[in-house]
């Protein structure tokens, strides 16, 4: 029986090799013409004002917090409201900056609940970090309005959101900073890369120095400024990080970007097949999608009782789903907030990510639905008709 895995990245191998060959033949694989070309292509695609290509979404998130903090309005131990239902990158970067993650609870979309955010605001709150789980926008628009009304910065962790559109705008067009992931299993897969997009031009200019160890002139600029005097000389006004992207990743990303809209269209088609196939399965609870947006559909998630046993049952049938995410307050560095987000705790016990990648066809989805039906019947889990309840 052919195994069905959670993710299986697909690369356009010949197109990608041609882009990478160009870098190799030019003898330039670091930051340079290709990374700039990708930044410009991303700006044309997304409509964002600025974009800086970095080596991961984790780096992008860290730079977003770092630069907004360096802006002078935040101090150590100030509070950032964030979600416990995410990959740990979202929250680790808050700790990198010695800021305090304050966890608000999630809603039925698995995203931050604005009502819970409101309750967590204190005089020390400086920003909200919103995560669009699986490409879903949840109540992002309400969170944006709340941040504006309360004078808080809004950072969007868009790791899953390449190609999520709200009307005619790419998700995050109205945030202070957005971070994207182009890691190997994301919608725009490279091997590891990311993008940070600031609304403000000055921060976009500064971030280029912060991602290059604090050096004020990058190696590429020094090499192309043939006629400039002192082109070998640079200054280092502060300590920065080695976070910039490279040409080989940018080459892969350029190819991915050409196809990401058709790929996401296919993902939404697969999600539609799941919606139909799971309709009759009372043990499975789907995650709702709000109106007025087009999801990247990075994930197809459901809630199911006895989730770990369901996974083992599916594994026995050759299906290998995933789990996104465990409530971060179960990890030692965030345990101080354990018990403060009951819906995130509920979701982390019941969440299941079904296979979602471009190699899936209707037959696969039918097989997955049948396997879910058999497994949940064996386990007699039929108590899952309710989704995550808001209080
Ligand atoms: C929600 C979320 N944020 C951030 C990241 C970090 O992305 P990267 O691996 O590009 O650093 C991930 C990666 O899986 C993620 O899922």
């Amino acid at each position: 029986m052919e195994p069905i895995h959670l993710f299986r990245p697909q690369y356009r191998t010949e197109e990608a090799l041609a882009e990478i060959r160009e870098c190799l033949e030019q003898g330039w694989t670091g930051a340079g013409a290709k990374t700039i070309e990708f930044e410009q292509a991303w700006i044309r695609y997304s409509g964002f004002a600025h974009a800086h290509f970095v080596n991961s979404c984790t780096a992008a998130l860290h730079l977003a917090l770092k630069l907004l903090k360096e802006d002078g309005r935040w101090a150590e131990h100030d509070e950032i409201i964030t979600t416990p239902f995410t990959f740990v990158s979202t929250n680790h970067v808050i700790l990198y900056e010695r800021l305090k993650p304050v966890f608000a609870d999630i809603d039925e979309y698995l995203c931050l609940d604005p009502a819970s955010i409101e309750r967590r605001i204190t005089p020390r709150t400086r920003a909200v970090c919103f995560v669009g789980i699986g490409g879903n926008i949840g109540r992002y628009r309400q969170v944006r309005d709340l941040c504006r009304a309360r004078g808080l910065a809004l950072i969007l962790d868009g790791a899953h959101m390449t190609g999520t559109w709200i009307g005619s705008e790419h998700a995050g067009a109205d945030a202070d900073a957005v971070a994207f992931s182009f890691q190997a299993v994301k919608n725009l897969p490279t091997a590891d890369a990311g993008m940070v997009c600031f609304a403000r031009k000055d921060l976009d200019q500064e971030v280029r120095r912060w991602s290059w160890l604090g050096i004020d002139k990058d190696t590429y600029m020094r090499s192309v400024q043939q006629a400039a005097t002192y082109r070998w000389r640079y200054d280092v006004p502060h300590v920065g990080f080695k976070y910039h992207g490279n040409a080989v990743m940018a080459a892969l990303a350029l190819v991915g970007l050409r196809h990401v809209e058709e790929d996401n269209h296919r993902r939404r088609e697969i999600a539609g097949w799941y919606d139909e196939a799971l309709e009759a399965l009372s043990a499975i609870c789907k995650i709702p999608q709000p109106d007025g947006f087009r999801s990247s559909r990075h994930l197809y998630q459901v809630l199911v009782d006895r989730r770990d046993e369901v996974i083992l049952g599916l594994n026995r049938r050759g299906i290998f789903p995933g789990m996104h995410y465990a409530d971060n307050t179960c990890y030692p560095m965030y345990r101080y907030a354990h018990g403060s987000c009951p819906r995130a705790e509920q979701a982390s016990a019941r969440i299941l990510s079904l296979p979602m990648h471009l190699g899936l066809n209707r037959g696969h989805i039918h097989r997955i639905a049948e396997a879910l039906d058999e497994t949940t019947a064996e386990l007699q889990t039929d108590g899952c008709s309710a989704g995550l309840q808001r209080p």
Side-chain angles (χ1 to χ4, degrees), residues 56-58 61 86-87 89-90 131 157 159-160 181 183 186 193 325:
S56 70
C57 181
T58 308
L61 286 165
T86 184
F87 188 56
S89 291
T90 319
V131 181
D157 178 342
H160 302 175
S181 177
Q183 180 265 342
K186 299 299 192 297
Y325 292 93

Side-chain angles (χ1 to χ4, degrees), residues 20 23 29 35 38 53-55 182 188-194 245-255:
I20 293 171
C23 306
T29 52
T35 55
F38 179 58
F53 186 57
V54 290
N55 59 23
F182 308 131
L188 201 168
T190 62
D192 256 317
N246 69 61
V248 178
M249 294 303 112
L252 287 173
L254 273 166
V255 176

Side-chain angles (χ1 to χ4, degrees), residues 86-104:
T86 184
F87 188 56
V88 286
S89 291
T90 319
N91 295 320
H92 280 8
V93 299
I94 302 173
L95 295 183
Y96 290 176
E97 283 307 306
R98 296 177 186 278
L99 295 160
K100 181 168 183 209
V102 171
F103 294 99

Side-chain angles (χ1 to χ4, degrees), residues 31-258:
K34 241 340 151 212
T35 55
I36 294 170
E37 189 183 337
F38 179 58
E39 286 173 352
Q40 287 166 352
W42 178 260
I43 284 171
R44 280 195 302 279
Y45 166 73
S46 66
F48 290 151
H50 313 106
H52 180 48
F53 186 57
V54 290
N55 59 23
S56 70
C57 181
T58 308
L61 286 165
H62 184 200
L63 290 166
L65 276 166
K66 179 76 184 170
L67 270 91
L68 291 168
K69 183 173 168 221
E70 281 294 308
D71 208 28
R73 287 180 298 146
W74 304 357
E76 282 191 9
H77 311 301
D78 276 350
E79 297 170 358
I80 309 296
I81 296 181
T82 182
T83 171
F85 198 73
T86 184
F87 188 56
V88 286
S89 291
T90 319
N91 295 320
H92 280 8
V93 299
I94 302 173
L95 295 183
Y96 290 176
E97 283 307 306
R98 296 177 186 278
L99 295 160
K100 181 168 183 209
V102 171
F103 294 99
D105 210 350
I106 57 170
D107 57 18
E108 68 275 33
Y109 303 113
L110 307 175
C111 297
L112 273 180
D113 182 350
S116 178
I117 295 176
E118 286 269 16
R119 289 194 292 272
R120 306 290 152 94
I121 295 175
T122 74
R124 299 216 74 152
T125 308
R126 297 291 172 260
V128 173
C129 190
F130 189 94
V131 181
I133 292 286
N136 201 333
I137 59 162
R139 293 184 171 82
Y140 171 80
R141 290 166 284 197
Q142 270 170 262
V143 173
R144 173 204 58 202
D145 294 346
L146 188 161
C147 286
R148 283 186 186 154
R150 304 295 290 261
L152 305 175
L154 173 60
I155 298 166
L156 178 64
D157 178 342
H160 302 175
M161 298 184 106
T162 295
T164 287
W165 297 87
I166 306 175
S168 59
E169 282 196 338
H170 196 284
D174 43 11
D176 293 285
V178 195
F180 292 97
S181 177
F182 308 131
Q183 180 265 342
V185 301
K186 299 299 192 297
N187 290 39
L188 201 168
T190 62
D192 256 317
M195 190 76 95
V196 59
C197 303
F198 285 100
R200 276 170 47 188
K201 186 175 177 188
D202 58 332
L203 297 184
D204 177 68
Q205 283 169 346
E206 280 173 38
V207 77
R208 290 155 203 282
R209 205 175 55 227
W210 280 98
S211 68
W212 174 225
L213 297 146
I215 298 172
D216 71 351
K217 209 189 274 177
D218 70 41
T219 314
Y220 180 67
M221 286 319 288
R222 285 190 284 123
S223 76
V224 293
Q225 286 172 346
Q226 299 291 343
T229 49
Y230 303 119
R231 70 189 184 93
W232 59 90
R233 197 176 278 174
Y234 56 77
D235 201 3
V236 192
H238 57 78
V239 175
F241 308 100
K242 184 110 177 12
Y243 277 172
H244 62 78
N246 69 61
V248 178
M249 294 303 112
L252 287 173
L254 273 166
V255 176
L257 191 60
R258 277 177 217 141

Side-chain angles (χ1 to χ4, degrees), residues 275-316:
D275 286 344
E276 276 172 37
L278 301 181
E279 198 56 53
L281 271 59
S282 61
I284 305 295
C285 179
K286 292 183 227 158
I287 306 299
Q289 306 282 309
D291 291 333
F293 93 112
R294 198 160 83 233
S295 175
S296 63
R297 272 298 185 180
H298 174 59
L299 299 174
Y300 190 95
Q301 295 176 288
V302 295
L303 296 168
V304 62
D305 288 344
R306 300 174 69 183
R307 188 263 329 279
D308 293 353
E309 292 160 272
V310 170
I311 292 181
L312 294 177
L314 292 176
N315 290 171
R316 279 194 293 277

